[in-house]
Amino acid sequence: MNKLIITHWNQAICTALAQNQKILQIELEPDCEKSILNNIYIGKVQNIVKNINAAFVEIGNGIIGYYSLSENPRHWYGNGTWGTRLRVGDEIIVQVSKDAIKTKAPVLTGTFAFTGKLTVLTVGKSGISFSNKITDRKWKDSMKKNLQEQVGEEVGLIIRTNGKNACLEELLSEFYSLQETYQNLMKEVPYRTCYTRLHQAPSTFLTNIRNAYADQLEEIVTDDAEIHKEIYHFLKQEQPEDLEKLRFYQDPLLSLKNLYRLDQVIEGATAQRVWLKSGGYLVIQPTEALVVIDVNTGRYSGKKTKEETILKINLEAAEEIGKQLRLRNLSGIIIIDFIDMWEEKSRILLFEHLKAVVLQDPVKTTVVDFTKLNLIEMTRKKIHRPLYEQIAACRNGSEL
């Protein structure tokens, strides 16, 4: 079972997912820099670059986002109408679908998503779809038929992993609530000016509560009275079934940050070298273009054959790589240089083991294949900034 730990770290709110006292995932939201992910704005087109078929749209405060014209053939204009032509100076409604990462601008979309605990309402994309982690084909076919009758063709609905055990009435209840949010937003559009924020996504720590797998979440723990109050009101309104999981931590001798050794965890999550129990180690190096991970034998001194020794270290490394990608929130293209193995059965075993490991990651992660240079190529979906960038934002904020 998992616990969500929400506390202050330096000048930020830290949300950590813990399992048996071990931290699996960390997100930092600086007090001075709230995330704009999933916010909806009326923006203004500043530039259209035809050779990359994209526009750059300002959403206010000097923030300019990337808006793909290939992925967004239709645009929702600031007067509340839809159309296919886009010119510099047009005011359009956009949602932030990806945070700014490294030197890349935030990504904007004209397909809007309103997210609940069980479902996601999509505007600009119709149909009923399901999380990849829901595998019961019979249940999906039955639910899809029943939902389609109520959802209609104007909007779409995605059933999230948390919705796999929900009944039709629960899914429809959330759908109607999300639909009401969308309809209220539409009513406001004609009366709002450019750069207006039409929809404010919940704080990062509330989003993490909503996104946590309900059947695995045991407790939500915080030691901050204001945060506790905000979580309480959020749960009471959005997820009353989880109210009993909320706990206020009070111990004058041992802070929540020290109890879970957050300083040491964060320091370790920014180190290049990660030691394995076997004596081997990883070298993790994020670059501008991709993430490179090297696996080394290190101090391993087992008594098995060379092939068995290397396979053992590689399998252990695969486990740790899955943990480190999630903990550090590394994404994009990932290249892994495992220790070379000569037997094809060993390579296949390693490849399948790595695929099984990344299935546990809630962020979509794909193990592609071995390259001609015997490297494994992976991709992990980019959503939030990597942890090292979050830490840098906290430090910069504390210096201001």
Side-chain angles (χ1 to χ4, degrees):
M1 298 298 290
N2 298 330
K3 293 184 181 182
L4 266 180
I5 312 302
I6 304 169
T7 187
H8 279 276
W9 183 84
N10 291 358
Q11 303 297 315
I13 297 175
C14 174
T15 306
L17 182 66
Q19 185 179 81
N20 299 325
Q21 297 293 114
K22 187 174 179 64
I23 302 299
L24 304 179
Q25 181 178 313
I26 288 182
E27 283 196 57
L28 301 172
E29 184 174 30
D31 293 331
C32 62
E33 183 188 335
K34 298 297 182 183
S35 172
I36 61 172
L37 185 66
N38 294 321
N39 288 356
I40 298 177
Y41 299 88
I42 299 178
K44 179 178 285 188
V45 178
Q46 298 294 328
N47 191 18
I48 296 175
V49 185
K50 292 184 178 180
N51 61 345
I52 61 172
N53 202 25
F56 290 89
V57 180
E58 184 177 358
I59 58 176
N61 296 323
I63 300 173
I64 297 178
Y66 172 86
Y67 180 77
S68 170
L69 298 178
S70 301
E71 297 177 5
N72 299 284
R74 295 176 69 233
H75 320 292
W76 190 0
Y77 301 116
N79 60 8
T81 63
W82 290 88
T84 55
R85 293 188 62 187
L86 194 66
R87 293 169 296 188
V88 172
D90 280 350
E91 295 179 6
I92 59 173
I93 304 172
V94 292
Q95 185 171 39
V96 181
S97 60
K98 293 180 184 178
D99 261 333
I101 297 176
K102 298 177 183 176
T103 58
K104 295 181 180 178
V107 176
L108 309 177
T109 179
T111 300
F112 310 110
F114 297 87
T115 304
K117 179 182 178 182
L118 308 176
T119 63
V120 179
L121 173 71
T122 58
V123 180
K125 181 181 179 182
S126 59
I128 309 296
S129 57
F130 298 83
S131 162
N132 291 332
K133 297 185 185 295
I134 300 177
T135 57
D136 187 338
R137 173 58 60 184
K138 184 177 180 181
W139 181 85
K140 290 198 291 186
D141 289 344
S142 173
M143 195 61 70
K144 184 174 184 178
K145 180 180 178 182
N146 292 327
L147 286 170
Q148 191 66 67
E149 296 173 357
Q150 301 298 323
V151 173
E153 300 297 331
E154 181 185 350
V155 297
L157 194 67
I158 302 170
I159 312 305
R160 307 185 70 201
T161 304
N162 273 330
K164 63 183 177 182
N165 296 320
C167 64
L168 178 63
E169 289 73 20
E170 290 174 312
L171 297 177
L172 285 175
S173 176
E174 187 170 275
F175 162 68
Y176 294 137
S177 176
L178 296 174
Q179 187 179 49
E180 183 179 8
T181 300
Y182 158 58
Q183 290 172 343
N184 289 337
L185 183 150
M186 284 192 67
K187 292 175 184 176
E188 293 182 14
V189 169
Y191 308 101
R192 296 300 190 96
T193 59
C194 189
Y195 307 132
T196 296
R197 185 181 62 210
L198 297 171
H199 175 72
Q200 170 72 62
S203 300
T204 299
F205 64 90
L206 295 178
T207 301
N208 278 299
I209 292 172
R210 184 189 64 197
N211 292 345
Y213 292 157
D215 57 349
Q216 298 176 10
L217 186 61
E218 178 184 18
E219 273 190 328
I220 304 164
V221 186
T222 182
D223 56 359
D224 184 283
E226 287 301 315
I227 291 176
H228 181 271
K229 184 178 179 181
E230 191 171 347
I231 294 172
Y232 177 84
H233 288 301
F234 173 80
L235 291 177
K236 189 174 182 180
Q237 183 175 353
E238 304 289 340
Q239 298 174 206
E241 68 278 7
D242 292 324
L243 259 174
E244 61 182 17
K245 297 178 181 179
L246 179 60
R247 180 165 69 89
F248 186 58
Y249 177 88
Q250 289 179 293
D251 188 335
L253 300 178
L254 184 64
S255 69
L256 203 54
K257 185 177 81 169
N258 291 339
L259 178 63
Y260 285 90
R261 302 174 66 248
L262 292 180
D263 284 336
Q264 294 92 322
V265 172
I266 290 172
E267 182 180 355
T270 57
Q272 279 197 6
R273 182 169 294 196
V274 179
W275 286 97
L276 306 174
K277 291 180 180 179
S278 64
Y281 64 91
L282 310 176
V283 176
I284 303 175
Q285 295 180 316
T287 71
E288 188 70 26
L290 46 79
V291 176
V292 179
I293 302 176
D294 188 34
V295 182
N296 296 276
T297 54
R299 298 190 294 256
Y300 182 80
S301 57
K303 298 180 180 179
K304 297 183 178 181
T305 65
K306 187 173 183 180
E307 182 76 8
E308 291 175 319
T309 296
I310 292 173
L311 177 59
K312 175 181 172 62
I313 296 173
N314 279 341
L315 291 175
E316 185 185 0
E319 289 277 354
E320 188 61 34
I321 286 168
K323 295 175 184 177
Q324 291 294 324
L325 291 178
R326 186 175 178 185
L327 178 63
R328 299 170 185 237
N329 196 32
L330 298 173
S331 56
I333 299 171
I334 301 160
I335 301 295
I336 307 172
D337 186 7
F338 284 102
I339 306 167
D340 285 340
M341 297 180 293
W342 295 270
E343 296 182 11
E344 183 63 20
K345 65 179 182 180
S346 298
R347 287 159 50 89
I348 293 173
L349 181 61
L350 173 62
F351 188 79
E352 293 301 322
H353 183 65
L354 184 59
K355 287 202 297 184
V357 167
V358 300
L359 276 177
Q360 302 170 37
D361 194 333
V363 175
K364 184 178 180 181
T365 306
T366 304
V367 183
V368 180
D369 206 345
F370 279 96
T371 70
K372 291 183 178 180
L373 295 176
N374 209 29
L375 309 172
I376 283 187
E377 183 181 6
M378 294 174 55
T379 61
R380 190 171 185 266
K381 187 176 181 181
K382 293 182 179 180
I383 302 176
H384 296 287
R385 291 183 295 183
L387 182 60
Y388 69 87
E389 285 194 20
Q390 296 176 37
I391 293 169
C394 295
R395 288 173 177 161
N396 291 338
S398 66
E399 293 169 1
L400 296 177

